C-alpha cells in the first residue's frame, strides 16, 4: 500500500545505459507543435512496468495542480529511449520494493533525453479523459489533487538539459489544458513538503516554466481552434 510520509529519494543508483544517444522514437516538442497533436507519452506497457503491488485508486475528479520533482539520480548522458525505459523500471522497483508503495509514486516521468513516460498505472488514460486522476504517492497532502512529474537527474547545482526542459514545457502545457489547471498551480515538491526536491536550480526555474507553459498553452489552443 502507499505510505505517503515515507522518504521517496532512495533512488540513487544510476539507470543503466542501454543504447546510444539519439535513438529514434522521440517526438520532439516542435514536432508535436507542427502536427497539432498531443505530446508522445510512453505508457507503462511500453516501458515494461510491473503490475501494481496493490489495487490503485482512480479519483472521480480532475487534478488541480502540477508538482515538479527530480529523481535525485545521476545526471546520465545517455539520452536514448532505451535508457529512459530503464529509468522508469528502476524507479518503479525502488518505489515498490524499497518504499513499499503500490506502484511508481509519481504519475509521469521526463527523462534527460526528453522522453515522456507514464509512471503510475492508469495515469495516462486519466489524463486523456481530463475528468479523473489516479491517486499518487509523490507528496503527502497532494496525492489526491496534484499530478506529480518526476524529472530524471539531480538539479541541486546544475540545470536540466534543453531536451528535458523543452519536453517538460510541452508536457505541462498539455496537462494544464486537459485538466483546466492554471499555470500558477505549477509548483515544486518543496512547496508542500520538507525536501530539497526538485533541487535548487530546477526550483529556481519554476517561474520561467510557468511563463513558457502559459505561452505553450495559448499556442496549443490556437492550433486546436485552427483545426475545427
Amino acid at each position: 500500500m502507499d505510505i505517503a510520509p515515507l522518504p521517496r529519494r532512495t533512488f540513487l543508483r544510476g539507470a543503466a545505459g542501454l543504447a546510444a544517444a539519439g535513438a529514434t522514437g522521440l517526438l520532439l516538442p516542435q514536432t508535436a507543435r507542427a502536427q497539432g497533436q498531443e505530446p508522445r507519452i510512453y505508457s507503462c506497457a511500453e516501458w515494461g512496468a510491473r503490475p501494481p503491488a496493490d489495487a490503485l485508486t482512480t479519483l472521480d475528479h480532475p487534478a488541480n495542480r502540477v508538482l515538479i520533482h527530480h529523481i535525485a539520480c545521476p545526471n546520465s548522458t545517455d539520452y536514448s529511449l532505451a535508457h529512459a525505459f530503464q529509468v522508469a523500471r528502476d524507479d518503479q522497483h525502488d518505489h515498490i520494493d524499497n518504499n513499499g508503495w503500490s506502484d511508481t509514486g509519481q504519475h509521469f516521468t521526463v527523462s534527460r533525453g526528453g522522453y515522456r513516460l507514464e509512471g503510475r498505472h492508469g495515469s495516462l488514460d486519466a489524463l486523456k479523459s481530463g475528468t479523473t486522476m489516479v491517486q499518487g504517492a509523490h507528496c503527502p497532502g497532494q496525492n489526491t489533487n496534484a499530478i506529480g512529474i518526476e524529472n530524471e537527474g539531480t538539479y541541486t547545482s546544475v540545470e536540466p538539459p534543453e531536451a528535458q526542459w523543452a519536453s517538460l514545457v510541452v508536457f505541462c502545457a498539455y496537462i494544464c489544458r486537459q485538466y483546466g489547471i492554471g499555470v500558477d498551480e505549477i509548483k515544486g515538491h518543496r512547496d508542500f513538503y520538507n525536501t530539497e526536491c526538485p533541487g535548487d536550480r530546477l526550483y529556481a526555474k519554476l517561474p520561467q516554466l510557468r511563463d513558457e507553459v502559459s505561452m505553450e498553452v495559448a499556442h496549443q489552443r490556437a492550433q486546436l481552434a485552427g483545426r475545427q
Side-chain angles (χ1 to χ4, degrees):
M1 63 185 299
D2 296 322
I3 306 174
L6 284 176
R8 60 188 298 280
R9 298 294 157 210
T10 56
F11 180 60
L12 297 177
R13 57 192 183 281
L18 299 178
T24 60
L26 173 61
L27 184 60
L28 294 173
Q30 55 267 34
T31 305
R33 280 183 167 190
Q35 296 177 355
Q37 59 184 304
E38 65 187 43
R40 179 67 163 100
I41 306 165
Y42 291 90
S43 68
C44 288
E46 289 179 297
W47 57 259
R50 294 160 52 181
D54 303 291
L56 303 178
T57 300
T58 298
L59 303 168
D60 192 25
H61 61 74
N64 64 7
R65 180 170 293 133
V66 177
L67 279 195
I68 303 300
H69 303 266
H70 71 173
I71 294 180
C73 63
N75 291 326
S76 174
T77 56
D78 186 343
Y79 300 137
S80 68
L81 179 61
H83 173 78
F85 282 8
Q86 188 63 47
V87 168
R89 288 191 291 266
D90 285 352
D91 213 11
Q92 186 192 39
H93 292 328
D94 181 60
H95 289 181
I96 293 177
D97 298 336
N98 295 328
N99 290 2
W101 295 346
S102 302
D103 197 1
T104 304
Q106 74 276 4
H107 298 91
F108 299 100
T109 301
V110 179
S111 77
R112 282 174 55 80
Y115 294 97
R116 295 169 285 251
L117 307 98
E118 182 180 29
R120 178 157 285 221
H121 283 79
S123 298
L124 182 53
D125 285 342
L127 174 60
K128 288 180 177 180
S129 79
T131 60
T132 64
M133 66 171 290
V134 176
Q135 182 170 324
H138 59 98
C139 180
Q142 297 295 308
N143 292 316
T144 60
N145 66 288
I147 296 296
I149 302 179
E150 193 85 83
N151 293 276
E152 178 197 0
T154 300
Y155 299 114
T156 55
S157 59
V158 298
E159 295 185 355
E162 180 56 33
Q164 186 177 38
W165 177 260
S167 182
L168 179 63
V169 169
V170 172
F171 196 15
C172 285
Y174 177 65
I175 293 171
C176 288
R177 184 162 55 82
Q178 285 296 102
Y179 283 126
I181 300 172
V183 296
D184 58 322
E185 289 298 336
I186 299 175
K187 306 287 188 179
H189 187 188
R190 66 173 65 177
D191 288 327
F192 299 94
Y193 194 64
N194 184 20
T195 176
E196 294 184 0
C197 179
D200 289 346
R201 296 296 290 274
L202 180 52
Y203 185 75
K205 287 176 70 71
L206 293 186
Q208 178 185 344
L209 180 62
R210 287 188 280 267
D211 287 344
E212 293 188 22
V213 168
S214 180
M215 291 186 289
E216 179 63 25
V217 167
H219 182 90
Q220 291 181 11
R221 285 176 175 162
Q223 280 190 318
L224 289 172
R227 294 167 59 195
Q228 294 175 351

